[in-house]
Amino acid sequence: MAEVVIVPDARAAGALVADAIARVIEVRPDTVLGLATGSTPLPVYEALRGRLAGTDLSLVRGFALDEYVGIDPAHPQSYRSVISREVVDPLGLDPARVHVPDGSPEGIEHAGADYEAAIEAAGGVDLQILGIGTDGHIGFNEPGSSFASVTRVKTLTEQTRRDNARFFASIDDVPMHCITQGLGTILRARHLVLLAFGEGKAAAVAAAVEGPLSASSPGSAIQLHPHATVVLDEAAATDLALADYYRYAYANKPAWQRL
Ligand code: GLP
């Protein structure tokens, strides 16, 4: 089962996860980070700015989880733009070392296989940051996604398009398709760190952490991973049956064990 850490707020979560990332980079300067978009990981990226100040990040590599298909890469809401704006530019990473799936329609039929090959050539992802959608998706693996899936094109659910409409002028501007790492791709990362904040995520979090393994609940794939950490605020933890145990286990965590 995943380790569940319940913290007071998103800021505390950001600091905790940024510290774990910084320690990985200290040991391995060419760490491969798995980068997520959406609003959830922003406190991590914010905290990393301070935590990594003065650290040589010239060798750090990154792979984003997903991208919209057909969006202009220069559009402020393309995931390429978001990753540049929130991660690459503020941290001063080498843009050539940070990859985002290619969502351009030309060549889309082999973009998934190309991305899988690039991840493999990099030696795999060391630490994968994840958010979770209100319908339980991770990356853009909507309900029904195979646990063995690899990077491929998916059709977004109406719910995801509605959720993401806040980033666009209207829901009609939210692309219909995306290219996303598969659940099988995500499960190959060496450490998964899933974050969720707010009551709106409570049901999806409970299904992912404690629900049955099911393609209908893509986040439940994390239960198959030997090193998964789930970092939540109190509101996102509301529906967890074992919340008291998670608090107790974390409070009594052996000092030598890290996140
Ligand atoms: C987006 C992304 C996911 C993200 C999720 C939740 O559509 N593709 O990677 O985890 O939906 O978004 P947010 O963090 O904004 O709630």
Side-chain angles (χ1 to χ4, degrees):
M1 146 177 283
E3 174 178 35
V4 179
V5 184
I6 303 168
V7 295
D9 53 28
R11 199 182 152 90
L16 188 72
V17 175
D19 189 55
I21 292 171
R23 281 191 274 106
V24 175
I25 294 173
E26 276 155 22
V27 175
R28 185 172 172 187
D30 63 346
T31 291
V32 180
L33 293 176
L35 302 165
T37 47
S39 46
T40 305
L42 296 179
V44 176
Y45 301 144
E46 174 91 43
L48 277 174
R49 293 170 204 175
R51 182 62 179 78
L52 291 175
T55 305
D56 178 8
L57 302 176
S58 60
L59 297 178
V60 170
R61 297 167 291 171
F63 286 89
L65 280 170
D66 44 17
E67 176 60 290
Y68 293 110
V69 169
I71 198 168
D72 181 347
H75 187 292
Q77 293 307 328
S78 77
Y79 284 173
R80 176 167 294 284
S81 295
V82 172
I83 292 290
S84 301
R85 190 166 64 236
E86 303 294 346
V87 186
V88 176
D89 296 346
L91 295 182
L93 302 186
D94 177 356
R97 288 177 168 264
V98 179
H99 308 268
V100 180
D102 186 352
S104 50
E106 306 74 41
I108 193 71
E109 57 289 353
H110 57 78
D114 294 349
Y115 205 62
E116 289 288 323
I119 294 172
E120 197 175 324
V125 169
D126 291 304
L127 187 151
Q128 176 66 58
I129 301 166
L130 295 168
I132 188 165
T134 56
D135 67 357
H137 71 245
I138 55 174
F140 263 140
N141 292 281
E142 298 285 28
S145 296
S146 163
F147 284 179
S149 51
V150 292
T151 307
R152 73 231 182 275
V153 172
K154 289 289 287 182
T155 305
L156 297 174
T157 61
E158 275 298 315
Q159 186 174 333
T160 298
R161 293 184 68 233
R162 266 198 310 273
D163 285 350
N164 288 4
R166 67 189 193 279
F167 297 115
F168 293 84
S170 86
I171 188 167
D172 299 327
D173 294 341
V174 182
M176 185 69 71
H177 297 103
C178 63
I179 175 167
T180 180
Q181 287 189 31
L183 296 175
T185 319
I186 291 169
L187 288 174
R188 284 198 297 276
R190 287 181 269 281
H191 182 191
L192 302 182
V193 180
L194 186 148
L195 299 106
F197 309 124
E199 216 180 318
K201 298 291 176 71
V205 166
V209 175
E210 296 178 343
L213 276 180
S214 168
S216 299
S217 170
S220 67
I222 65 167
Q223 295 178 39
L224 294 169
H225 197 281
H227 189 189
T229 308
V230 177
V231 184
L232 308 170
D233 66 2
E234 291 286 348
T238 315
D239 291 357
L240 291 172
L242 300 177
D244 286 344
Y245 172 68
Y246 306 137
R247 287 196 189 88
Y248 173 81
Y250 189 65
N252 293 291
K253 192 174 161 104
W256 53 266
Q257 252 185 12
R258 297 192 151 175
L259 208 59

